[in-house]
Amino acid sequence: MKNKDIYINYMPQLSISPAEMNALDELAEKDKDHMLPVFPIKGWAASKKLSNTRERIKKAIGNRPWIASIDMSCLEDSTFVDLATGEYKREVFKEISEIIDEENGFSNWFNYLSEIDEAIPSLIRITNDEQIDMQIENLCSLNRGLAVIFGLSDIDSGHYLNVLNKIKEANICLLYTSDA
């Protein structure tokens, strides 16, 4: 995705579920041109590999930009874990857990996103002060913008003000959305 001005009228946060993706498939192309969807990446339906998620998003919106985030709750759901082995039942969950590894400023997240030209990165796990600067630097080097997704309950937190100040110091554009 090349840097260009995008005029957005709508920023839906969409689940990568069959129902929502099928509805998106049916949306007129001209309407897709004026939206910037946020896709919290997770395992969905019978998806076995993370690459299926990327392919499904591309099928629905083509080469349009979208915001990539991670649905952390998908890793906390014990129904996705084999109780006998303690391993995830599907490869997609293992891949997501590897992507959110905090090592080197979430370098796995950066590497994953660097292969998806249409994906606008978002900061993940912004509660980790030690990694936030490196994560901002890495993700901004993709030259696609940077999204920071806060829940409404997070806004009053002094920590999040610190994150906003770091973003301001980095002189980057802040894209704000809420997971209300």
Side-chain angles (χ1 to χ4, degrees):
M1 180 181 78
K2 294 186 179 185
N3 258 346
K4 63 179 182 176
D5 291 331
I6 303 170
Y7 298 98
I8 302 302
N9 294 330
Y10 185 46
M11 284 183 56
Q13 182 166 317
L14 299 174
S15 174
I16 305 170
S17 67
E20 288 193 31
M21 297 307 284
N22 288 336
L24 191 54
D25 288 339
E26 298 299 318
L27 195 62
E29 296 299 311
K30 67 178 181 59
D31 294 328
K32 292 179 189 179
D33 290 339
H34 295 286
M35 65 186 289
L36 180 61
V38 178
F39 289 105
I41 294 170
K42 64 179 183 176
W44 52 275
S47 176
K48 292 180 175 43
K49 304 279 288 170
L50 193 54
S51 60
N52 295 341
T53 300
R54 182 171 57 198
E55 291 165 10
R56 185 61 186 102
I57 292 170
K58 189 167 191 87
K59 178 181 182 264
I61 64 170
N63 292 325
R64 292 174 181 86
W66 53 279
I67 296 173
S69 69
I70 298 283
D71 181 349
M72 300 292 184
S73 68
C74 77
L75 298 177
E76 298 164 359
D77 189 335
S78 62
T79 61
F80 299 129
V81 176
D82 183 318
L83 297 177
T85 65
E87 298 290 319
Y88 289 110
K89 291 179 181 177
R90 290 186 284 157
E91 180 69 18
V92 66
F93 298 109
K94 182 176 184 254
E95 290 174 312
I96 292 170
S97 70
E98 290 169 357
I99 281 177
I100 63 169
D101 182 350
E102 297 179 3
E103 188 173 326
N104 297 321
F106 295 89
S107 61
N108 292 342
W109 177 234
F110 170 81
N111 292 334
Y112 173 76
L113 292 172
S114 67
E115 298 174 3
I116 309 171
D117 291 339
E118 300 81 17
I120 297 171
S122 68
L123 294 178
I124 58 172
R125 293 212 171 163
I126 55 180
T127 55
N128 183 330
D129 278 334
E130 296 174 14
Q131 298 287 340
I132 195 75
D133 291 329
M134 192 181 308
Q135 193 178 167
I136 289 171
E137 183 179 332
N138 288 344
L139 295 175
C140 286
S141 73
L142 294 172
N143 293 317
R144 301 180 196 158
L146 182 64
V148 181
I149 301 172
F150 292 111
L152 292 177
S153 61
D154 300 326
I155 298 301
D156 292 331
S157 170
H159 172 75
Y160 290 95
L161 291 174
N162 182 41
V163 170
L164 291 172
N165 284 329
K166 288 178 181 285
I167 291 167
K168 181 180 174 187
E169 290 168 11
N171 197 26
I172 59 175
C173 180
L174 171 66
L175 180 59
Y176 169 81
T177 185
S178 173
D179 65 358

